[in-house]
C-alpha cells in the first residue's frame, strides 16, 4: 500500500502471494512439510496469528494430501480480502473519511503506524530474500533479491509455485480479454 499507487496489485495476484506466504510460514512453524508437490501436515502448532491458525485448520489432513498448486488456488481464493479485514480490525489499516457516505464504510484504506507495519518495513528494507521474492512475484519490484533462497529449499519451491500460479492467472485474464474483444467485435459488425 505504500508503494506507487499506479502499480496497484490485482486482488487475485495478491491472494496467491499471500497463500504462498502462509505456506512458507507453515513450513517454518513445522506445521507442514513438502513431499514432492504435496503439503503434508507435520505437526500441530498453534500460531498466534489468527489467519495463520485458519491456514493450519484449512490443511487437508488425509492422503493423498493436497498439492501445493491446489493449496495456492483454494486457500488464495479472496485471501487478500480476509487479510485486509483482519488488518483493519487489528488497527493496522484505517479508512479515511472525506465525506460521510450514507451506506458502507467508504473511504480509502491507509496504513497506520503500528508495530506490525514497522516490522514489515524493516524486513523489506533489510532485503529479506523471501519477502523480496514475494514482492517481485506480485510485480512490485523489478527483480527478486540478489540473495535468493537456496533452490533446494522448500521455500524456493513455494516461491516458484506462486510465480507459476500468477502466470496462469495472467494467461487466463488475457484469454478472457481476447474473448470479450472478439465478442464485442461480432456485435459491432452485426
Amino acid at each position: 500500500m505504500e508503494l506507487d499507487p499506479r502499480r496497484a496489485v490485482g486482488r487475485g495476484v495478491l491472494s496467491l502471494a499471500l497463500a504462498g506466504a502462509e505456506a512458507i510460514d507453515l513450513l517454518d512453524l513445522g506445521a507442514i512439510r513438502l513431499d514432492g508437490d504435496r503439503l503434508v501436515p507435520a505437526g500441530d502448532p498453534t500460531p498466534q496469528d489468527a489467519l495463520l491458525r485458519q491456514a493450519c485448520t484449512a490443511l487437508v489432513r488425509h492422503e493423498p494430501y493436497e498439492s501445493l498448486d491446489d493449496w495456492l488456488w483454494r486457500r488464495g481464493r479472496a485471501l487478500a480480502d480476509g487479510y485486509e479485514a483482519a488488518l483493519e480490525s487489528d488497527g493496522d489499516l484505517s479508512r479515511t473519511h472525506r465525506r460521510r457516505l450514507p451506506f458502507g464504510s467508504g473511504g480509502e484504506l491507509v496504513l497506520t503506524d503500528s508495530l506490525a507495519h514497522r516490522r514489515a518495513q524493516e524486513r523489506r528494507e533489510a532485503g529479506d530474500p523471501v519477502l523480496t521474492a514475494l514482492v517481485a512475484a506480485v510485480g512490485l519490484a523489478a527483480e527478486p533479491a540478489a540473495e535468493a533462497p537456496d533452490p533446494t529449499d522448500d521455500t524456493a519451491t513455494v516461491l516458484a509455485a506462486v510465480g507459476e500460479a500468477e502466470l496462469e492467472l495472467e494467461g487466463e485474464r488475457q484469454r478472457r480479454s481476447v474473448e470479450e474483444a472478439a465478442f464485442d467485435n461480432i456485435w459491432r459488425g452485426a
Side-chain angles (χ1 to χ4, degrees), residues 12-183:
V13 169
L14 183 56
S15 290
L16 287 169
L18 287 168
E22 284 184 343
I24 291 168
D25 286 344
L26 293 173
L27 283 163
D28 289 345
L29 282 172
I32 60 171
R33 64 181 175 77
L34 283 178
D35 184 6
D37 74 334
R38 301 284 170 182
L39 296 178
V40 179
D44 201 15
T46 306
Q48 290 182 333
D49 180 78
L51 287 166
L52 204 52
R53 275 195 310 274
Q54 287 177 8
C56 275
T57 61
L59 291 169
V60 173
R61 298 194 176 274
H62 52 81
E63 289 189 30
Y65 303 114
E66 187 170 36
S67 72
L68 177 56
D69 188 52
D70 289 346
W71 163 265
L72 293 174
W73 289 105
R74 182 179 62 83
R75 179 67 184 157
R77 190 169 290 120
L79 193 57
D81 295 333
Y83 270 86
E84 183 178 287
L87 289 169
E88 192 172 4
S89 172
D90 291 346
D92 294 323
L93 290 177
S94 64
R95 291 195 182 270
T96 59
H97 296 284
R98 293 190 187 130
R99 62 185 172 99
R100 189 54 109 179
L101 298 174
F103 302 105
S105 56
E108 180 183 343
L109 280 172
V110 294
L111 289 164
T112 61
D113 184 27
S114 66
L115 180 59
H117 177 220
R118 287 190 298 274
R119 284 183 183 156
Q121 269 185 315
E122 289 169 4
R123 281 183 67 193
R124 194 177 74 228
E125 289 168 2
D128 178 283
V130 173
L131 182 58
T132 304
L134 286 168
V135 168
V138 298
L140 291 177
E143 298 176 18
E147 181 192 321
D150 181 357
T152 61
D153 188 19
D154 288 341
T155 299
T157 302
V158 173
L159 292 172
V162 168
E164 289 172 17
E166 289 176 355
L167 285 173
E168 188 178 329
L169 179 63
E170 182 57 31
E172 181 62 23
R173 280 195 186 122
Q174 288 178 3
R175 183 188 65 79
R176 286 183 183 179
S177 176
V178 167
E179 287 176 355
E180 288 171 8
F183 184 76

